Structures are given as structure tokens and as C-alpha cells.
Amino acid sequence: MKTYKHGGPYDRGSADAYYGRAFSPHFWDDSTYPRVKTALKEGTEEYAEYLKGWNEQHASGDYKDWG
């Protein structure tokens, strides 16, 4: 089983979907401050991880309740 790290592509995809943010494939680097946001190119493994996180979150039907 693969584990997904905080700030990684899967984590960012699921968080973007949960919070109702736009689809924007990216991840955050491992530095403490300032962190660097890296855009992902379609066709890469990291892009696929972001997409998996995004799709699984949407499929769960669980979203942030802003009310």
C-alpha cells in the first residue's frame, strides 16, 4: 500500500476537492519556510497522484461545510 505525504500531490488533490477549490495540479516541497508550490504536468506520476486524490475525494461525497 502506498502512503501519501502531507503536501504531496495526492494530499493536495484531495484537499483542493474537499475545500471546493479549483482543479490545480500541484504539490508543496519539503522545506519548512518558505514552502515552494510546484505545478504538475499532465502525464507525470505526480499528476496522476493529484488526480487520484481529487477523484477519490469527490467520489466520497465529503466536502467542507462552510455553513
Side-chain angles (χ1 to χ4, degrees):
M1 181 174 139
K2 186 168 185 167
T3 59
Y4 298 101
K5 70 177 185 163
H6 180 72
Y10 180 91
D11 176 66
R12 296 297 82 215
S14 63
D16 286 350
Y18 177 78
Y19 289 107
R21 296 189 288 250
F23 183 83
S24 176
H26 70 282
F27 70 94
W28 293 98
D29 73 355
D30 289 332
S31 62
T32 51
Y33 186 80
R35 296 191 76 186
V36 176
K37 182 177 180 178
T38 303
L40 298 170
K41 292 184 180 186
E42 193 169 353
T44 63
E45 181 179 341
E46 291 86 359
Y47 184 97
E49 288 178 18
Y50 179 95
L51 184 60
K52 182 177 180 179
W54 175 272
N55 288 335
E56 288 182 356
Q57 183 60 46
H58 275 295
S60 77
D62 183 28
Y63 301 102
K64 171 72 176 166
D65 179 7
W66 297 100

